[in-house]
């Protein structure tokens, strides 16, 4: 990818993903575009869910990324984005990735960033290829909680047992978080590095690194998808394509991307 990225800042929009998707549908995208909104009124999560965020307490942005290959080669992209977020956060907070790991930062398949098993951030990837002679445009949306985790958790209004984490929990009481723009730019820089490597090697290059950050590796888990009965087993990481591996009765089952929720067994 020729990384000639345009950076856009808007005070408010419904959804940065929708903004860029609409531009893609209109044939207006020609190079990468990173778009941040300081307030989103209709932010999106996976499977049509709403991404809840408080202005000033959250970072919400999207990146329009033209992948030059086939859509079939994009397996594991959301996992690589998670690794880029970790790298970008380490740079923004001026600390090592090992320090973030020791404080409980982890990744949850296929697209969540966790802090001590509380949700710190999420990734939503949308888009597709218009025709075989054009790149596959992927709109990578990122939402991250910066501060006031308790207020964000209260905003869920009892609709879920989800715990919420925030970035300020990773810094000392005497420190302050960098400005939103500074964090955003560090994340975009990390995404550039990871996506450039992903174009060359696909996900297999990142497999071992991702499993290092896997929040549930080797643990008993419960996986549910839609109306199907939940699956219980041991989570054994991912394969070279980024699919989840679940061990059941001594056999490995491959779980592909979809509306899948993963929880540790209680």
């Amino acid at each position: 990818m020729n990384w000639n990225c345009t950076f856009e800042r808007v005070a408010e929009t419904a959804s940065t993903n929708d903004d860029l998707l609409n531009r893609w549908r209109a044939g207006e995208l020609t190079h990468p575009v990173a778009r941040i909104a300081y307030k989103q009124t209709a932010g999106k999560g996976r499977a049509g869910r709403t991404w809840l965020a408080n202005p000033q307490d959250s970072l919400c942005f999207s990146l329009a990324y033209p992948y030059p290959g086939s859509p079939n080669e994009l397996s594991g992209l959301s996992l690589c984005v998670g690794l880029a977020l970790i790298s970008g956060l380490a740079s923004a907070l001026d600390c090592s990735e090992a320090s973030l790991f020791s404080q409980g930062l982890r990744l949850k398949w296929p697209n969540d960033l966790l802090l001590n098993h509380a949700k710190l951030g999420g990734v939503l990837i949308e888009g597709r290829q218009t025709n075989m002679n054009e790149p596959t445009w992927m709109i990578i949306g990122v939402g991250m909680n910066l501060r006031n985790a308790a207020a964000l958790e209260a905003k869920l209004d009892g609709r879920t047992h989800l715990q919420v984490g925030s970035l300020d929990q990773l810094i000392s009481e005497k420190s302050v978080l960098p400005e939103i723009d500074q964090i955003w730019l560090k994340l975009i820089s990390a995404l550039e590095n990871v996506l450039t490597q992903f174009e060359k090697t696909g996900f297999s290059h990142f497999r071992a690194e991702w499993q290092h950050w896997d929040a549930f590796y080797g643990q008993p888990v419960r996986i549910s998808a839609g109306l199907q009965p939940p699956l219980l087993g041991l989570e054994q990481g991912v394969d070279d394509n980024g699919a989840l591996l679940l061990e059941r009765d001594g056999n490995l089952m491959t779980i592909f991307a979809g509306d899948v929720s993963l929880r540790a067994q209680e």
Side-chain angles (χ1 to χ4, degrees):
M1 177 175 63
N2 179 18
W3 193 268
N4 179 24
C5 189
T6 296
F7 294 86
E8 300 178 347
R9 299 167 174 85
V10 294
E12 181 177 330
T13 191
S15 163
T16 54
N17 258 38
D18 282 348
D19 291 346
L20 295 180
L21 278 169
N22 291 336
R23 206 175 303 176
W24 165 70
R25 294 187 183 104
E28 297 174 355
L29 293 178
T30 59
H31 57 274
V33 177
R35 183 174 176 85
I36 186 173
Y38 300 107
K39 180 180 179 181
Q40 283 197 133
T41 58
K44 299 190 296 183
R46 291 183 65 241
R49 302 183 183 97
T50 300
W51 177 264
L52 296 177
N54 288 333
Q56 305 304 316
D57 290 340
S58 303
L59 170 63
C60 300
F61 72 91
S62 298
L63 171 68
Y65 157 58
Y67 181 72
S70 164
N72 297 330
E73 300 170 358
L74 285 164
S75 298
L77 177 61
S78 66
L79 280 64
C80 290
V81 171
L83 291 172
L85 297 182
I86 290 173
S87 175
L89 287 178
S91 181
L93 299 179
D94 194 23
C95 66
S96 67
E97 292 186 15
S99 173
L100 297 179
F101 186 90
S102 68
Q103 294 182 75
L105 192 65
R106 296 291 188 275
L107 294 172
K108 172 189 162 187
W109 185 91
N111 57 3
D112 284 345
L113 189 64
L114 304 182
L115 181 57
N116 296 312
H117 288 282
K119 187 164 182 174
L120 175 63
V123 176
L124 174 67
I125 300 180
E126 301 177 282
R128 62 188 65 87
Q129 189 177 38
T130 306
N131 61 67
M132 294 182 63
N133 297 320
E134 297 291 334
T136 302
W137 279 95
M138 307 305 296
I139 310 301
I140 302 170
V142 175
M144 188 177 300
N145 306 320
L146 299 181
R147 55 181 67 83
N148 297 329
L152 289 166
E153 192 168 307
K155 199 171 183 178
L156 294 173
D157 195 27
R159 287 172 287 169
T160 175
H161 296 296
L162 179 69
Q163 292 181 298
V164 176
S166 54
L167 196 59
D168 60 352
Q169 295 169 339
L170 284 168
I171 62 175
S172 68
E173 294 182 359
K174 297 181 180 180
S175 302
V176 295
L177 283 177
E179 295 295 325
I180 289 180
D181 274 13
Q182 182 179 344
I183 299 172
W184 175 53
L185 292 174
K186 292 293 186 181
L187 294 178
I188 295 297
S189 178
L191 280 165
E192 176 187 359
N193 293 334
V194 168
L195 294 175
T196 299
Q197 181 64 47
F198 181 83
E199 286 186 13
K200 299 176 182 176
T201 62
F203 175 72
S204 60
H205 173 85
F206 298 94
R207 179 185 179 187
E209 182 182 1
W210 193 90
Q211 290 188 164
H212 168 71
W213 292 94
D214 184 355
F216 296 102
Y217 187 81
Q219 297 182 33
V221 295
R222 175 187 183 95
I223 299 175
S224 60
L227 299 177
Q228 300 176 13
L231 297 173
L232 304 181
L234 287 178
E235 200 258 72
Q236 297 291 7
V238 294
D239 66 13
D240 281 344
N241 295 312
L244 188 72
L245 299 175
L246 183 69
E247 182 180 345
R248 287 167 52 86
D249 301 322
N251 298 313
L252 280 182
M253 174 182 292
T254 303
I255 310 294
F256 297 96
D259 184 19
V260 177
S261 62
L262 183 153
R263 298 285 186 272
Q265 290 187 33
E266 298 180 354

